[in-house]
Amino acid sequence: MTASGSAVRAPAEALSLGVREARRGHRGANPLVGAVVTAADGMVVASGFHRGRGTAHAEVAALEQFAVTSAASRIPPADVTLWVTLEPCDHTGSTGPCTEAILASGIRRVRYAVADPTGHHGGGSARLRRSGLDVEQIDPAVTAVSGADDLNHRWLVARDAGRPFVTAHLAQSLDGRVAAADGTSQWITGPESRRHAHAVRSRVDAIIVGTGTVVADDPRLTARDAGGHDLTDQPVPVVQGRRGVPEGAALRGGPGGAPRPWIHVPNHEPHAVLDHLRLDHRREAGIAWPNGGDTPSHLLIEGGPTVLAAWLGAGLVDEIFVYQAPLVLGGGPTGLDLPHLTTLTQALRLRLDPAENGGLSRRGDDVLLHYATQ
């Protein structure tokens, strides 16, 4: 939470605080959003961020905190300004419209950085203006200085392409191996890394692996807690590849051995996999995506080196979590193999992502690198 009691003297400062809040959230089905409430003298009196699909939006989180603050300090809602990194929404999804929460709060002044890409006829700002509020979009130059314009770059790339946001996992040794020379791979990383990986699994709609991984490792592909128990939110297993999935494959069974919806895509090409996940095949598998749409909103690539390389090579990976273990295996398969990249100028460029835990953090003895693609 942004510390109350600090003061902002310019729009760029307020937005920068909003961006800092937004980066505390998780990337995925929804954009990162941060909100800050300031008093007439610039004092920060509340803040909030969006924690992920199904949770309160940043504006609502900040307004709830302001309600407590204003009750104690007697700051009138009409005397404050709400700063948001993304235009308040005016539609109902898994939560209600932010415009309704703003109108109910009594706040009369709203400033936002980036227009809502899912909005219609001006998004939420139009409704707020019709209700008599003072609403303005912040100057693009100021937005750029704060970092708000780049906050959801890859999310917007995915949305404009009409595809899910794609996260990838890669657990490897210091010398870049995902298994030893004899094929053993459990466990390269420690329990703290695995807990984080399972938390990410619980946030996605579907988890993708290749048939080779299914045959070799027989993974359950469930999201589990530290005790090995299945979490409430589970991804749909998706297996890509032409080989069949064994009848006794662990991914076929859910809690208590009950049948579990899963999808087999007899193709290796990532775009073909995305096409297969759309409406008709979803119905065939008896799967309802959480967003209620024709296609999932968030995918996780957890396949072997070939699968991950295919999705990266197709430009479809938006973020990568690399779990780097303090091991040197000396042999075995590497985590990625992109033979068509033959010179330095062809290299895929990544950048450390400041969202969630920052680009670089520790997970027990492992190092977690969080990258965003360009």
Side-chain angles (χ1 to χ4, degrees):
M1 181 183 72
T2 300
S4 297
S6 59
V8 296
R9 303 301 178 190
E13 291 182 51
L15 267 193
S16 294
L17 289 176
V19 169
R20 188 186 308 167
E21 285 290 296
R23 287 173 176 164
R24 298 173 63 191
H26 306 304
R27 296 200 184 278
N30 298 100
L32 297 180
V33 184
V36 174
V37 179
T38 59
D41 59 358
M43 197 68 63
V44 176
V45 293
S47 61
F49 68 99
H50 185 39
R51 298 174 183 271
R53 181 171 53 202
T55 66
H57 286 194
E59 299 95 316
V60 175
L63 291 174
E64 289 176 347
Q65 188 184 120
F66 172 66
V68 176
T69 301
S70 61
S73 59
R74 298 182 181 179
I75 301 175
D79 291 349
V80 303
T81 301
L82 173 65
W83 305 82
V84 194
T85 59
L86 185 69
E87 180 182 6
C89 68
D90 191 35
H91 61 271
T92 299
S94 54
T95 61
C98 290
T99 50
E100 291 184 1
I102 294 171
L103 292 172
S105 73
I107 287 178
R108 309 299 297 169
R109 189 178 303 105
V110 178
R111 300 291 182 264
Y112 68 93
V114 178
D116 178 8
T118 63
H120 301 286
H121 308 297
S125 61
R127 179 181 178 186
L128 295 176
R129 290 192 187 98
R130 288 195 301 269
S131 299
L133 273 66
D134 175 7
V135 183
E136 291 183 8
Q137 183 173 7
I138 298 167
D139 183 272
V142 175
T143 298
V145 169
S146 71
D149 60 340
D150 192 49
L151 187 61
N152 294 296
H153 166 64
R154 287 299 303 195
W155 185 86
L156 289 168
V157 167
R159 181 193 173 277
D160 291 345
R163 64 165 177 83
F165 186 86
V166 178
T167 299
H169 275 177
L170 176 58
Q172 64 180 20
S173 64
L174 187 60
D175 51 344
R177 311 289 179 173
V178 295
D182 65 356
T184 54
S185 61
Q186 295 183 343
W187 298 101
I188 287 178
T189 55
E192 293 86 353
S193 288
R194 297 198 295 276
R195 278 198 290 272
H196 179 270
H198 279 275
V200 176
R201 281 185 178 185
S202 72
R203 302 200 299 256
V204 305
D205 300 331
I207 179 171
I208 297 177
V209 298
T211 50
T213 294
V214 173
V215 172
D217 299 337
D218 193 24
R220 290 174 57 196
L221 301 182
T222 57
R224 302 185 292 277
D225 62 20
H229 305 293
D230 287 344
L231 297 172
T232 301
D233 296 318
Q234 292 292 330
V236 173
V238 177
V239 183
Q240 69 172 64
R242 294 189 174 87
R243 280 190 286 178
V245 176
E247 287 296 327
L251 64 83
R252 291 176 178 266
R260 179 187 183 197
W262 62 281
I263 298 174
H264 179 210
V265 184
N267 202 306
H268 295 106
E269 207 283 312
H271 287 284
V273 175
L274 290 177
D275 289 341
H276 198 99
L277 295 180
R278 296 186 188 278
L279 182 61
D280 290 343
H281 298 287
R282 173 178 66 87
R283 284 177 173 165
E284 290 171 10
I287 294 167
W289 301 120
N291 62 7
D294 296 350
T295 190
S297 296
H298 192 185
L299 299 181
L300 174 62
I301 309 302
E302 234 186 66
T306 302
V307 172
L308 179 53
W311 285 78
L312 265 175
L316 294 174
V317 174
D318 301 300
E319 68 170 350
I320 308 175
F321 289 107
V322 180
Y323 305 91
Q324 187 79 56
L327 302 175
V328 177
L329 296 177
T334 58
L336 283 171
D337 186 12
L338 293 162
H340 66 283
L341 303 179
T342 58
T343 184
L344 187 62
T345 57
Q346 296 176 331
L348 295 179
R349 300 288 179 178
L350 308 174
R351 54 179 176 170
L352 289 173
D353 191 337
E356 193 170 335
N357 300 296
L360 178 65
S361 60
R362 284 190 61 178
R363 296 284 163 174
D365 292 331
D366 303 331
V367 173
L368 175 57
L369 298 164
H370 182 198
Y371 289 111
T373 49
Q374 300 283 14

